[in-house]
Amino acid sequence: MGGGAEMSEAHANLIDAARDAASRAYAPYSDYRVGAALLFDDGAVVTGSNVENASYGLSLCAETVAVARALGEGRRGGLDAVAVVGPADKGDGAPITPCGRCRQVLNEIAQLGGTDPLILCVGQDEVREVRLSRLLPHAFGPAHLNQAHLD
Ligand code: THU
């Protein structure tokens, strides 16, 4: 990983979970298989993989699927970290960062619980760690609608 710090076992396991999720991607059109794994403060991990559609524009990213699953399970916060893994054999090997829409979707569950999750962007030779607030500064979210910290 970049920066030299040792990665925690929980974060290493989270990356493994994201990689495993990527193997279950439904990505017949792009063949670009992505996995995301969300780590919550109770230790739970919720994963998602990208789900494409014959009507290409309707495709869902891995991060969005993971957040939808978590919210569907009743989770309303406590999001500590997110790992995102793309295919090892595609692109330039740079760490994969969530797309703009996924940043906003991640912000929903993060801001609901008042956390600023660490995003582990996995690349070929490095894991870039960046807070969601740096990926999406001055985010609009549930707090603007007085929905933060509510179940
Ligand atoms: N994709 C994700 O699942 N997450 C990202 O962060 C970037 C892109 C998906 C969308 C599409 O299915 C494929 O990767 C190629 O863009």
Side-chain angles (χ1 to χ4, degrees):
M1 81 183 196
E6 264 319 302
M7 183 181 299
S8 71
E9 194 183 337
H11 286 179
N13 290 340
L14 194 67
I15 290 170
D16 285 345
R19 195 165 278 123
D20 191 48
S23 73
R24 293 188 294 276
Y26 175 66
Y29 306 108
S30 71
D31 196 34
Y32 191 87
R33 304 162 79 82
V34 183
L38 313 181
L39 176 63
F40 290 88
D41 56 6
D42 62 355
V45 171
V46 177
T47 63
S49 49
N50 52 332
V51 176
E52 296 186 345
N53 192 281
S55 180
Y56 298 169
L58 300 183
S59 297
L60 299 172
C61 290
E63 300 91 321
T64 290
V65 171
V67 170
R69 284 178 83 178
L71 288 168
E73 283 181 8
R75 295 187 176 275
R76 297 290 184 269
L79 180 60
D80 280 342
V82 178
V84 187
V85 176
D89 59 342
K90 292 214 157 53
D92 59 6
I96 175 172
T97 53
C99 79
R101 181 177 190 263
C102 286
R103 294 174 195 200
Q104 183 66 29
V105 170
L106 286 165
N107 179 67
E108 184 74 19
I109 192 165
Q111 205 178 87
L112 265 184
T115 63
D116 185 10
L118 193 64
I119 315 296
L120 308 172
C121 307
V122 179
Q124 218 151 52
D125 304 315
E126 75 170 298
V127 176
R128 188 172 299 158
E129 298 188 358
V130 57
R131 293 277 165 196
L132 180 60
S133 61
R134 269 196 69 205
L135 291 177
L136 191 69
H138 310 292
F140 178 82
H144 289 95
L145 305 173
N146 291 324
Q147 293 296 315
H149 306 286
L150 295 182
D151 283 12

